[in-house]
């Protein structure tokens, strides 16, 4: 096991493309760190820099106590799991998992012990004689994981390993990877664009956008205290609602609607300079139908457009003063398309952002 440290790391490509921009980040020994962000944010490039598949343009990259800027990929003691499995189709599961160890000229006894131990961890014992074409997508991904596990590397690097799996298999394999990490305790750097994967798997999450690190923290920290508009909108499913409001003498106006704040809104920057625009954020799961006893809450009228039935919950799409609002409500509330409703969100569930800097004012 080992730490991974990015010290002012840049990766530039021809044409003034900066894929990784001054990345400063330390992955602790034994930590499961997730790099997350939209396509093109630099997360995979950062991972490939750790693997040695990309050379960094500036800065230092260390694995443990060793600066690896000029160290060949094969000498970095890492193992990488790719999105595409990258299995040898003519080899059995056993031989796919053993191949790297054979190249390292390990003894047959040690190879056999490692392969069978990894197969036991991953539930592949019965499939060791099969070829990849006789396996499901989930089983193939487990073989790819097993090939990495037998290496017993200092660091596992995983590049969107679940993207090719269907929804059910993604959930199952997600849990398997988390269990493997708890059992082995090896440092993992995991790349995904799926914030649900990030939230459920990572000890910490590093959110990236346009090559820049936006925020790093535990899943709870990013959910409850997003640093800016991008992180607030990216973390959480369904995504956070945002509305533009204007300060007016200690009150907030959303279009022509005076927001009912139910008392002194400590978490709302209503005392800002009159006429200043602010962006207010609130999560769909924190909205309720107002009932007059909501206490310290922001309330506003809305018209329901679409209702998506999800079983015990309903996803409500509504319009309020020209804003699209999404609410996640219990299905027993029986809301229908076309209904006029009043929605409420507790003041301590509000987020306030400066629309110019996009930074959180209150979170």
């Amino acid at each position: 096991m080992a730490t991974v440290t990015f010290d002012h790391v840049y990766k530039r490509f021809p044409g003034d493309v900066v894929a990784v921009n001054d990345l400063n980040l330390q992955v602790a020994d034994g930590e499961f760190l997730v790099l997350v962000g939209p396509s093109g944010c630099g997360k995979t490039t950062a991972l490939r820099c750790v693997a040695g598949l990309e050379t960094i343009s500036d800065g230092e990259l260390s694995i443990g106590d060793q600066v690896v800027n000029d160290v060949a990929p094969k000498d970095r003691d890492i193992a990488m799991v790719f999105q595409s499995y990258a299995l040898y189709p003519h080899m059995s599961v056993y031989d796919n998992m053993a191949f790297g160890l054979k190249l390292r000229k390990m003894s047959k006894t040690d190879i056999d012990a490692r392969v069978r131990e990894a197969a036991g961890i991953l539930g592949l014992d019965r499939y060791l004689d099969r070829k990849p074409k006789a396996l499901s997508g989930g089983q193939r991904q487990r073989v790819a994981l097993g090939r990495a596990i037998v290496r017993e590397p200092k660091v596992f690097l995983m590049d969107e390993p679940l993207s090719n799996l269907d929804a059910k298999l993604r959930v199952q394999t997600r849990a398997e990877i988390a269990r493997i990490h708890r059992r082995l305790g090896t440092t993992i750097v995991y790349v995904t664009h799926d914030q649900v994967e990030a939230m459920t798997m990572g000890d910490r999450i590093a959110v990236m956008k346009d090559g820049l690190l936006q925020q790093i923290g535990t899943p709870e920290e990013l959910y409850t205290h997003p640093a800016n508009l991008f992180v607030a909108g990216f973390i959480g499913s369904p995504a956070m609602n945002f509305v533009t409001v204007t300060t007016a003498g200690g009150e907030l106006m959303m279009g022509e609607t005076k927001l009912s704040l139910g008392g002194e809104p400590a978490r709302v920057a209503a005392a800002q300079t009159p006429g200043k625009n602010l962006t207010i954020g609130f999560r769909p799961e924190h909205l309720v139908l107002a009932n007059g006893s909501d206490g310290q809450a922001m309330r506003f009228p809305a018209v329901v457009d679409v209702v998506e039935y999800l079983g015990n919950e309903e996803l409500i799409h509504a319009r309020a003063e020209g804003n699209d609002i999404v609410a996640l409500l219990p299905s027993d509330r029986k809301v229908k398309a076309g209904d006029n409703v009043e929605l409420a969100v507790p003041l301590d569930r509000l987020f306030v952002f400066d629309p110019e800097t996009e930074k959180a004012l209150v979170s």
Side-chain angles (χ1 to χ4, degrees):
M1 295 186 290
T3 59
V4 177
T5 305
F6 295 84
D7 186 3
H8 295 285
V9 168
Y10 290 80
K11 176 58 184 178
R12 302 183 185 92
F13 290 104
D16 295 325
V17 176
V18 183
V20 178
N21 192 343
D22 195 20
L23 181 58
N24 289 283
L25 176 64
Q26 182 169 64
V27 187
D29 189 359
E31 181 177 21
F32 195 130
L33 181 108
V34 180
L35 290 172
V36 68
S39 178
C41 72
K43 57 188 185 296
T44 294
T45 302
L47 191 79
R48 288 172 63 85
C49 287
V50 180
L53 301 177
E54 300 284 357
T55 56
I56 67 174
S57 304
D58 282 303
E60 284 190 349
L61 200 154
S62 303
I63 297 177
D65 296 328
Q66 182 185 19
V67 176
V68 296
N69 291 27
D70 301 316
V71 175
K74 66 183 180 63
D75 298 323
R76 295 192 179 196
D77 200 6
I78 56 93
M80 194 161 183
V81 180
F82 296 91
Q83 176 181 345
S84 61
Y85 317 142
L87 301 178
Y88 296 107
H90 63 287
M91 291 185 183
S92 67
V93 168
Y94 184 101
D95 289 334
N96 264 282
M97 293 171 66
F99 185 70
L101 303 182
K102 291 176 180 177
L103 291 180
R104 295 163 72 179
K105 303 194 183 301
M106 289 184 61
S107 70
K108 289 184 178 181
T109 302
D110 289 341
I111 291 174
D112 188 69
R114 287 197 188 186
V115 169
R116 294 191 183 281
E117 181 183 13
I121 292 172
L122 295 164
L124 293 171
D125 312 69
R126 294 179 297 160
Y127 308 110
L128 290 175
D129 294 329
R130 291 192 187 182
K131 300 287 179 64
K133 66 180 180 181
L135 302 175
S136 68
Q139 290 165 341
R140 292 179 194 177
Q141 193 55 274
R142 277 186 277 164
V143 175
L145 287 169
R147 185 174 54 191
I149 289 171
V150 298
R151 295 273 312 274
E152 296 183 1
K154 290 180 180 177
V155 180
F156 286 120
L157 305 177
M158 300 190 182
D159 186 12
E160 305 208 37
L162 309 185
S163 295
N164 290 333
L165 305 182
D166 61 38
K168 183 178 180 181
L169 277 175
R170 277 202 302 272
V171 173
Q172 293 175 348
T173 311
R174 202 163 68 202
E176 286 174 1
I177 292 174
R179 281 194 292 267
I180 290 167
H181 177 249
R182 284 198 303 271
R183 180 166 177 175
L184 301 179
T186 308
T187 306
I188 295 178
V189 182
Y190 186 104
V191 162
T192 183
H193 65 274
D194 186 337
Q195 58 90 22
V196 174
E197 279 183 29
M199 292 286 284
T200 55
M201 299 176 73
D203 296 326
R204 287 191 303 158
I205 301 170
V207 182
M208 296 186 69
K209 177 190 177 188
D210 299 331
L212 290 166
L213 179 64
Q214 301 292 307
Q215 187 175 358
I216 183 167
T218 66
E220 182 180 7
E221 288 169 348
L222 268 59
Y223 180 83
T224 57
H225 301 290
N228 56 39
L229 271 169
F230 177 77
V231 175
F234 194 83
I235 297 296
S237 182
M240 184 182 288
N241 296 292
F242 296 110
V243 298
T244 298
V245 300
T246 305
T247 58
E251 296 177 334
L252 295 176
M253 299 293 295
M254 183 171 68
E256 298 300 318
T257 301
K258 181 190 295 183
L259 295 178
S260 178
L261 298 171
E264 191 64 30
R267 292 181 57 82
V268 181
Q272 300 258 341
T273 305
K276 179 178 175 61
N277 286 340
L278 297 171
T279 299
I280 300 293
F282 45 91
R283 298 194 182 279
E285 58 269 31
H286 295 154
L287 281 165
V288 297
L289 294 178
N291 58 21
S293 60
D294 304 298
Q296 299 289 299
M298 183 180 83
R299 293 183 290 276
F300 56 90
V303 180
V304 177
D305 281 339
V306 177
V307 178
E308 297 181 27
Y309 180 72
L310 303 175
N312 66 324
E313 294 176 317
E314 289 178 336
L315 202 59
I316 310 300
H317 298 262
R319 296 282 292 173
E321 287 287 354
N323 296 288
D324 292 316
I325 304 295
V326 176
L328 194 61
L329 303 176
S331 56
D332 61 6
R333 302 311 300 266
K334 305 299 182 184
V335 177
K336 302 184 297 297
D339 284 355
N340 289 291
V341 297
E342 186 177 31
L343 297 171
V345 57
L347 292 182
D348 62 358
R349 297 293 194 176
L350 292 177
F351 301 83
V352 184
F353 304 91
D354 186 320
E356 296 179 3
T357 65
E358 298 193 351
K359 291 183 179 179
L361 298 176
V362 182
S363 65

